[in-house]
Amino acid sequence: FSNFCEGPGVATINEMRRFAGTTESSGAGPMEHGAFSVVIVTHNSAEALAICLEFVMTLGCRVLIVDNGSSDDTIAICREAGVEFVSNRDNLGFGAAANQGLAFVDSDTVCILNPDCLLTAPVVSAALATLRDNPDSLVVPEFVDWEGRRHPGRQPGYTALRLIADMLDGNGLAPLAKQLHRWTGPGDATWHWPIGACIFARRTALLGLGGFDPRYFCYMEDVQLGRVAYRKGHDVLLLPLPVPHFGGRGSMVEARRRQKLLNEARLTYARVNYPAPFAFGLSLL
């Protein structure tokens, strides 16, 4: 049933729940958030989506799936669960699809959620309470993986050196990247960005920031969002509560394709935020 080192896979958990007859795919739970919606962007997300919906549909909120041209059972899972969904013929990218969801819902508060995250009632309650006191902020949880490691959803700002280190790390120069990371430290402490796997915000505040920058197909759009938020005086606030995150299971993309998307996103970030010679030099890596 599980791999000893990595923990049980998402498909395994779904199968175990189905075998035990414990999956609940519809019906409102103990919380009623009429002014709260969850927007989930999917692309070939069948492995993770069922268990994600099992959790989110107990919250009593509106759930909208924006699907980017899935060819697996993602849409069938949406239909079986009885959730609203928008089915795009093509893959528009994460940011464009998330913006599409923001335009579709009309609730006061939204959560942009990855299908490989498990949203719980305590996290939602804490996020809504935080937004009542800080209506212009972006609110993010901690993320916890199968091994119990926690990763704060609020990350220090990207620097040029970190951008170089990350590009090196993903393209066969990990030892050099590790050394560079030691020099760069955690990042720029003057501003922060929200990890896009789970972001709570007032819908009007998020739209006021321009939503997600559509120039980014996938990855780094959350970094850009944090950068814009900082410029406009919006805070990124961290909840002291974890959201389980499978990490990389939200969309079935092969490793080589995922690295290509990361490279393209980092180059886009360099072109948008740094002088052209820096972006050109980064492309050489």
Side-chain angles (χ1 to χ4, degrees):
F1 281 102
S2 70
N3 177 289
F4 180 78
C5 296
E6 297 181 2
V10 182
T12 298
I13 291 179
N14 285 334
E15 197 63 29
M16 290 170 69
R17 289 180 183 274
R18 193 157 40 244
F19 178 74
T22 58
T23 298
E24 298 178 7
S25 60
S26 62
M31 302 176 64
E32 293 293 337
H33 301 303
F36 173 63
S37 296
V38 176
V39 175
I40 304 172
V41 176
T42 56
H43 172 68
N44 291 337
S45 304
E47 182 186 23
L49 184 59
I51 188 171
C52 174
L53 290 178
E54 179 183 343
F55 276 72
V56 79
M57 292 188 68
T58 66
L59 301 175
C61 60
R62 182 178 182 181
V63 181
L64 173 67
I65 308 292
V66 181
D67 183 69
N68 272 332
S70 289
S71 57
D72 63 359
D73 291 333
T74 295
I75 296 301
I77 291 171
C78 293
R79 290 196 175 100
E80 183 179 353
V83 296
E84 294 179 85
F85 64 89
V86 175
S87 181
N88 294 321
R89 179 177 297 179
D90 301 315
N91 189 348
L92 306 181
F94 173 82
N99 291 343
Q100 191 178 1
L102 286 173
F104 195 90
V105 300
D106 56 2
S107 56
D108 295 334
T109 307
V110 295
C111 173
I112 306 297
L113 186 72
N114 274 14
D116 55 2
C117 289
L118 306 183
L119 196 59
T120 63
V123 171
V124 172
S125 294
L128 296 183
T130 301
L131 285 170
R132 279 193 291 269
D133 296 332
N134 307 274
D136 290 331
S137 63
L138 304 175
V139 178
V140 287
E142 291 187 308
F143 296 99
V144 60
D145 63 19
W146 282 117
E147 297 181 2
R149 294 173 298 190
R150 293 199 179 200
H151 310 276
R154 179 179 184 262
Q155 291 288 314
Y158 250 74
T159 63
L161 284 177
R162 179 175 175 183
L163 199 56
I164 294 170
D166 284 353
M167 188 67 87
L168 292 171
D169 192 26
N171 292 277
L173 294 170
L176 182 57
K178 187 175 181 180
Q179 183 61 47
L180 193 55
H181 275 304
R182 289 198 190 99
W183 295 338
T184 61
D188 185 350
T190 63
W191 65 281
H192 293 80
W193 57 277
I195 291 179
C198 180
I199 301 176
F200 295 88
R202 295 283 190 190
R203 180 173 172 272
T204 53
L206 203 48
L207 291 174
L209 294 174
F212 293 94
D213 192 325
R215 288 175 290 186
Y216 297 88
F217 181 79
C218 184
Y219 301 120
M220 298 298 288
E221 66 283 308
D222 46 7
V223 183
Q224 188 66 42
L225 179 66
R227 197 176 184 106
V228 173
Y230 169 69
R231 290 172 181 165
K232 295 191 175 185
H234 295 234
D235 292 326
V236 177
L237 303 178
L238 179 66
L239 299 174
L241 293 171
V243 163
H245 184 210
F246 301 133
R249 300 291 186 89
S251 179
M252 290 297 99
V253 178
E254 65 165 357
R256 184 176 297 179
R257 170 65 173 160
R258 195 179 296 275
Q259 186 57 52
K260 185 175 185 290
L261 291 172
L262 275 167
N263 288 343
E264 291 172 352
R266 287 163 180 160
L267 288 173
T268 299
Y269 185 81
R271 295 186 188 108
V272 170
N273 298 289
Y274 292 98
F278 175 79
F280 175 75
L282 196 67
S283 70
L284 298 178
L285 297 179

